Amino acid sequence: MTHPAVHKAALSHLQSMALPVSQLGPQLDDKLIAEALDVAGFSSTFIGQERAKAALSFAIGMDMPGYNLYVMGEPALGRYTLVQDILQSAASEKETPDDWCYINNFEDERVPQTLRLLPGEGRVLVKKIEALIDELLDTFPAAFDNPGYQRKKKAIHATFDNKYEAAIALVERKALEKQVVLYEDNGAVSFSPVIDGKPLDDAEFANLPDDKRQFFYGLVTELETILNEQLLELPQWKRELSENLRTLRRETIEVALKPLHKALEHDYSNELGVLRYLREMRPELVKAVLELLPEELESDKLEELDIRSLFVGDFVPNVLVHHELMSGAPIVFEANPSYGNLFGRVEYSSDQGALYTNYRMIRAGALHKANGGYLILDADRLLSQPAVWDALKLALKSGEINIDTLSDHAVTNSTIITPKAIPLNVKIVLLGSRDLYYLVQDVDDEFNELFRVLADFEHYLPFNPLTVKYMSLQLQDQIQALDAGPLTSCGLKQLLTFSFRQAEHQRKLSARFADVLELVREACYYANQAGDTELSALHIQQALQGKQYRTGRISESFLEDIQEGQILIDTDGVAVGKVNGLTVLEIGDTAFGTPARISATVYPGSNGVIDIEREVELGKAIHSKGVMLLTGYLGAKYAQNFPLTLSANIAMEQSYGLVDGDSASLAEVCALISAITNVPIRQDLAVTGSINQHGQVQAIGGVNEKIEGYFRLCQSRGLTGAQGVVIPASNQLNLVLNDEVVNAVASGQFHIYVVKTVDEALELLTGCEAGVKTAKGQYPKKSLNALTMARLAAIAELVNGSSDDE
């Protein structure tokens, strides 16, 4: 088959498709840069994200249930920084929330009670009650040495002794009347007979005649009966003695504690909750002194400390949340929102194998700390724990914080306490991704009810003098903090170019300002290493090259494989049914472009266009969609008067991993038409772009990496001046190419072509005129489209004719 001649008018048209250097990146005005570097009188502020700022302000202003906030956006967009800035401003104007304490429930220690206090008063109350305990320990047992107490105590003992001695005296008189003497030794009473005025000992009594002994036995028995009758009420006397002594001690303790309690009650005369607790505590405190502090305490310091800890453990409040007065509303960020970290926990101690706890071992969670203010949570980590998410929703709907102790410690050898719930008033801010937001909306009906405000973070910042000014201010602040030299105009240009590159747009800056700050920090390292007093474009480029070198092993290995011929890519000459496509590989935080050969074969048949990647399950849905569009394009453009009948195979050669995206569809249709017409394609050009069924070329992603990847290959083989890439015209705004590519284009060694249609791409790749359809529906003779239509018609006739013969 003869190839049509190249049309001279078409060649001039092709040259017009080449982009000049001025369109390969953003054009930065020197005056704009100079003004941006002058930041005198400007204060640092968050850059851009006006939509998100409005949503945050609205959510904070809506002090009603359900108006919690979901902050949508990817990491490094400044979500946390902006949320912190706006919350700090709002929190400083809000009232400081009250302190919350847990106190002993003297009626049921398993259900600790709550105590609400003014900000900062929780720790003050603790100190005052601890001081009360210290004064109590100083007062007792010293108070029992009081003469008045001792006198009353002796009187109580004297009453008992008088009753006892009167009873013994009566028995003793009876005994003497019967010639028997009464002995009392250490509370034990015994009797001995008297003969000739002398009491007998045991040996003398044993020598008495039997009748005498029996006589005395009878007397002793009779006397013991009288003694028992007289001391019948002795246990009652002892009980009365103990009760009277206990009453005396209790009265003494109450009298000693009364002024201490009165002083404390006077301090909290306006705090009804504290007054109620102090009045409930008073009888329990008296009881504790009775049980723990005897009248005489050994001067053992360890024992005193143990006794003090017992008093503290029973009476001192557990300050769960403390706020300093006038500190504003709290802002809490909980990085690990587990159940315990969010709702608090109850700690346990072990004693001889048994677990025990009390109200003082309750620990606050993030909800307690943020109560009355704002709580920031990572949505991904929170929603990965369904039980915690359900508990949080319940807390928000009920307006209470409950600490669930049963699920973790429901064992037989432990003490279970159920702390009383604390009222909850908090604004929740979830930081999460876009995909997670829409997923939770679909699967959780309560989500929209509780999180009614969305703050959507943009990926871009507007490119205007004010944005550049504030970026310059923050960059200079960062450089100054790193003790590096001032930022030069060329350095600021290079940093802005990097931001444009991150945004992949010539008129928009990337909202990932954290990446720019990271680059500044790395550039400062190189500046300090060199001892330079300024931070210039040279240091920025060194930082970029350093990162590329550290992460570039895989991209270099791809280039080496192509150089060694292990991966077949041609950068000169022509070939039929073969075209250089452009791909982007993303590995970790790096992305690089590499060329890939796309080939097509055509033969008579009716199998249609077969995507080999899809057949072997290496092609994902979007890639397969792009290939399937080729059939629609061929049928609509060429097969209006005959059935589209052909068999064609398309493959991305030497691709052994998953392939996704439709950016290869322009290259695939060019390879397919080359295979149909047998017209060769230039191998010094690489192609990227997607198409629709009408042959229009659509924008793709990663255009800068793709161009630079092919440029590196051509550069390594030697630039010929004819090499270049073909990209969609709509991608021109996305070009932010590196200096090497720009310089090569400026010197005519490399070219960037933009196309709007498949026909324009074919003219570039084949050097042939594509041809425009006439009013009669025919293409000019010898044009590429005419050849394609003729070849497809011939295949259709051949295939259909063979079917008729059968």
Side-chain angles (χ1 to χ4, degrees):
M1 178 181 292
T2 59
H3 300 156
V6 178
H7 197 280
K8 291 184 179 180
L11 283 178
S12 62
H13 175 59
L14 298 184
Q15 294 302 321
S16 68
M17 298 181 193
L19 291 177
V21 173
S22 61
Q23 294 183 324
L24 301 184
Q27 301 303 307
L28 295 172
D29 182 45
D30 290 337
K31 182 180 178 181
L32 172 67
I33 297 299
E35 291 176 351
L37 286 171
D38 183 12
V39 294
F42 275 74
S43 58
S44 181
T45 185
F46 193 88
I47 306 170
Q49 305 295 356
E50 300 303 323
R51 189 191 310 273
K53 289 178 183 177
L56 282 164
S57 299
F58 174 75
I60 293 170
M62 289 294 291
D63 194 11
M64 298 173 64
Y67 283 88
N68 297 295
L69 182 69
Y70 187 99
V71 179
M72 174 196 292
E74 303 306 319
L77 292 179
R79 297 175 303 168
Y80 182 74
T81 303
L82 178 58
V83 167
Q84 277 278 20
D85 289 349
I86 293 181
L87 291 185
Q88 288 284 2
S89 176
S92 62
E93 298 176 0
K94 291 190 69 173
E95 293 184 358
T96 305
D98 293 335
D99 287 0
W100 282 96
C101 307
Y102 272 110
I103 55 177
N104 198 354
N105 183 351
F106 298 111
E107 294 183 359
D108 186 355
E109 294 184 351
R110 293 172 297 178
V111 187
Q113 296 293 316
T114 57
L115 181 61
R116 188 172 191 165
L117 294 166
L118 293 174
E121 289 297 319
R123 292 181 180 175
V124 174
L125 177 62
V126 166
K127 290 181 180 179
K128 289 186 176 181
I129 293 183
E130 286 180 345
L132 172 67
I133 292 173
D134 291 335
E135 291 179 1
L136 183 148
L137 293 175
D138 291 339
T139 303
F140 299 98
F144 297 130
D145 295 333
N146 184 283
Y149 173 81
Q150 293 294 334
R151 185 169 55 255
K152 292 177 182 178
K153 180 181 177 181
K154 288 179 180 177
I156 293 171
H157 278 286
T159 300
F160 171 81
D161 291 342
N162 290 338
K163 290 180 180 180
Y164 180 79
E165 289 172 0
I168 294 298
L170 177 62
V171 175
E172 187 175 15
R173 287 196 302 272
K174 295 283 187 181
L176 289 175
E177 292 174 359
K178 298 179 180 299
Q179 299 297 311
V180 176
V181 67
L182 180 147
Y183 289 99
E184 185 178 2
D185 185 17
N186 293 327
V189 177
S190 59
F191 296 96
S192 176
V194 177
I195 296 178
D196 298 330
K198 176 184 176 185
L200 301 180
D201 58 20
D202 290 344
E204 292 173 337
F205 182 75
N207 293 326
L208 291 175
D210 289 344
D211 56 342
K212 285 282 189 181
R213 289 199 308 270
Q214 291 301 324
F215 172 74
F216 282 115
Y217 280 141
L219 288 177
V220 169
T221 301
E222 181 182 349
L223 290 172
E224 287 177 348
T225 301
I226 295 172
L227 178 64
N228 289 335
E229 291 174 352
Q230 292 299 316
L231 296 182
L232 186 63
E233 297 180 358
L234 180 62
Q236 181 179 345
W237 299 341
K238 289 186 176 181
R239 285 197 300 271
E240 290 176 355
L241 172 65
S242 299
E243 289 175 2
N244 291 335
L245 288 174
R246 180 178 290 273
T247 300
L248 175 61
R249 291 186 66 205
R250 181 182 295 108
E251 291 173 351
T252 304
I253 294 169
E254 288 175 349
V255 170
L257 285 179
K258 188 173 182 179
L260 304 180
H261 256 284
K262 281 293 183 184
L264 202 53
E265 289 177 357
H266 181 268
D267 292 342
Y268 289 96
S269 57
N270 295 326
E271 294 286 345
L272 296 180
V274 180
L275 281 177
R276 187 183 303 112
Y277 175 62
L278 292 176
R279 287 167 184 169
E280 291 174 355
M281 183 177 73
R282 181 187 295 178
E284 299 297 327
L285 199 58
V286 171
K287 187 188 299 183
V289 174
L290 279 172
E291 294 175 355
L292 298 176
L293 293 176
E295 293 186 21
E296 295 182 2
L297 186 65
E298 297 181 4
S299 58
D300 188 343
K301 293 183 179 180
L302 290 177
E303 187 176 356
E304 290 180 7
L305 288 176
D306 288 340
I307 292 175
R308 185 181 188 278
S309 66
L310 291 175
F311 276 94
V312 169
D314 284 341
F315 300 105
V316 176
N318 173 17
V319 181
L320 199 68
V321 181
H322 169 76
H323 299 291
E324 294 294 340
L325 187 62
M326 305 301 291
S327 61
I331 301 172
V332 177
F333 173 64
E334 178 51 61
N336 179 25
S338 63
Y339 187 91
N341 289 345
L342 206 55
F343 290 89
R345 60 175 60 85
V346 176
E347 295 178 348
Y348 283 73
S349 294
S350 176
D351 183 15
Q352 297 180 355
L355 297 176
Y356 71 92
T357 187
N358 61 18
Y359 74 99
R360 288 188 56 81
M361 301 175 77
I362 302 171
R363 298 293 176 257
L367 280 172
H368 296 100
K369 298 172 185 175
N371 200 4
Y374 309 95
L375 175 60
I376 307 171
L377 300 172
D378 184 284
D380 292 88
R381 294 187 178 182
L382 173 65
L383 292 167
S384 65
Q385 306 174 78
V388 181
W389 172 240
D390 289 339
L392 178 60
K393 290 189 296 181
L394 180 61
L396 292 175
K397 294 180 75 173
S398 65
E400 290 183 339
I401 313 173
N402 281 290
I403 302 177
D404 181 10
T405 58
L406 296 177
S407 58
D408 293 332
H409 301 286
V411 290
T412 56
N413 62 337
S414 67
T415 302
I416 303 297
I417 64 174
T418 307
K420 188 178 178 181
I422 290 178
L424 176 64
N425 176 25
V426 69
K427 186 81 70 176
I428 303 291
V429 179
L430 291 184
L431 305 179
S433 65
R434 188 177 305 275
D435 293 341
L436 182 62
Y437 175 77
Y438 294 120
L439 174 63
V440 179
Q441 269 194 328
D442 287 340
V443 301
D444 194 331
D445 296 334
E446 296 176 307
F447 180 73
N448 284 337
E449 179 185 347
L450 296 173
F451 291 85
R452 296 178 178 174
V453 184
L454 170 66
D456 193 352
F457 271 65
E458 301 281 356
H459 289 85
Y460 307 106
L461 297 176
F463 175 53
N464 55 49
L466 189 61
T467 300
V468 177
K469 173 80 77 173
Y470 281 119
M471 284 186 68
S472 171
L473 174 60
Q474 294 195 21
L475 291 172
Q476 292 185 62
D477 288 344
Q478 179 73 34
I479 293 168
Q480 186 176 4
L482 295 170
D483 294 327
L487 179 64
T488 64
S489 59
C490 65
L492 179 57
K493 273 188 178 181
Q494 192 71 40
L495 289 170
L496 290 173
T497 300
F498 172 78
S499 185
F500 282 119
R501 175 65 177 256
Q502 292 292 92
E504 287 191 297
H505 205 286
Q506 294 179 4
R507 299 174 189 170
K508 295 178 182 178
L509 295 163
S510 172
R512 293 174 61 91
F513 191 63
D515 293 343
V516 183
L517 293 176
E518 179 185 347
L519 179 60
V520 165
R521 288 191 287 267
E522 295 176 6
C524 288
Y525 165 79
Y526 287 102
N528 291 332
Q529 288 290 100
D532 294 336
T533 57
E534 292 182 332
L535 189 70
S536 66
L538 173 64
H539 306 117
I540 310 296
Q541 290 169 349
Q542 286 177 329
L544 289 170
Q545 292 166 0
K547 184 167 186 177
Q548 184 177 353
Y549 176 75
R550 294 192 301 271
T551 61
R553 186 188 66 80
I554 297 177
S555 62
E556 289 180 6
S557 67
F558 270 91
L559 185 61
E560 290 174 1
D561 289 343
I562 296 173
Q563 290 286 65
E564 294 170 357
Q566 296 182 25
I567 297 178
L568 301 178
I569 300 289
D570 294 329
T571 55
D572 57 10
V574 294
V576 174
K578 297 178 184 177
V579 66
N580 292 331
L582 295 175
T583 64
V584 170
L585 296 180
E586 295 184 3
I587 302 175
D589 62 344
T590 63
F592 60 90
T594 181
R597 174 177 285 177
I598 296 170
S599 64
T601 58
V602 176
Y603 51 92
S606 58
N607 294 330
V609 179
I610 296 175
D611 177 14
I612 292 179
E613 308 299 327
R614 184 182 65 178
E615 296 299 316
V616 297
E617 297 182 353
L618 287 179
K620 291 189 176 181
I622 302 300
H623 177 265
S624 299
K625 175 186 175 183
V627 176
M628 294 174 72
L629 287 173
L630 301 185
T631 303
Y633 170 71
L634 293 176
K637 191 173 182 71
Y638 302 112
Q640 294 296 311
N641 300 316
F642 57 87
L644 180 63
T645 308
L646 83 161
S647 291
N649 290 337
I650 293 179
M652 189 170 290
E653 295 182 357
Q654 295 182 283
S655 171
Y656 307 108
L658 294 174
V659 178
D660 198 11
D662 60 353
S663 63
S665 58
L666 176 59
E668 289 166 343
V669 74
C670 293
L672 183 59
I673 291 177
S674 171
I676 292 172
T677 61
N678 205 29
V679 173
I681 286 178
R682 292 173 57 182
Q683 300 298 294
D684 52 9
L685 293 180
V687 184
T688 184
S690 70
I691 67 167
N692 60 24
Q693 295 186 87
H694 299 286
Q696 295 172 313
V697 179
Q698 303 167 142
I700 46 83
V703 64
N704 294 296
E705 289 80 5
K706 291 177 178 178
I707 294 172
E708 290 167 0
Y710 186 66
F711 173 79
R712 282 196 301 271
L713 172 60
C714 296
Q715 186 182 45
S716 66
R717 290 181 173 178
L719 296 173
T720 63
Q723 296 150 332
V725 294
V726 180
I727 65 171
S730 51
N731 275 124
Q732 187 271 320
L733 270 178
N734 305 118
L735 293 179
V736 188
L737 296 167
N738 62 33
D739 291 342
E740 282 187 312
V741 178
V742 172
N743 293 335
V745 172
S747 62
Q749 295 296 303
F750 198 74
H751 307 279
I752 312 293
Y753 298 101
V754 293
V755 295
K756 296 180 180 179
T757 64
V758 173
D759 284 349
E760 290 181 347
L762 286 169
E763 290 177 348
L764 271 171
L765 292 170
T766 63
C768 301
E769 183 182 2
V772 179
K773 186 181 288 188
T774 64
K776 296 181 179 181
Q778 298 295 321
Y779 291 103
K781 291 183 179 181
K782 297 185 180 180
S783 68
L784 197 59
N785 285 331
L787 286 175
T788 305
M789 182 180 288
R791 174 63 173 156
L792 289 175
I795 293 175
E797 183 179 353
L798 178 62
V799 173
N800 294 330
S802 300
S803 300
D804 292 341
D805 293 341
E806 292 176 0

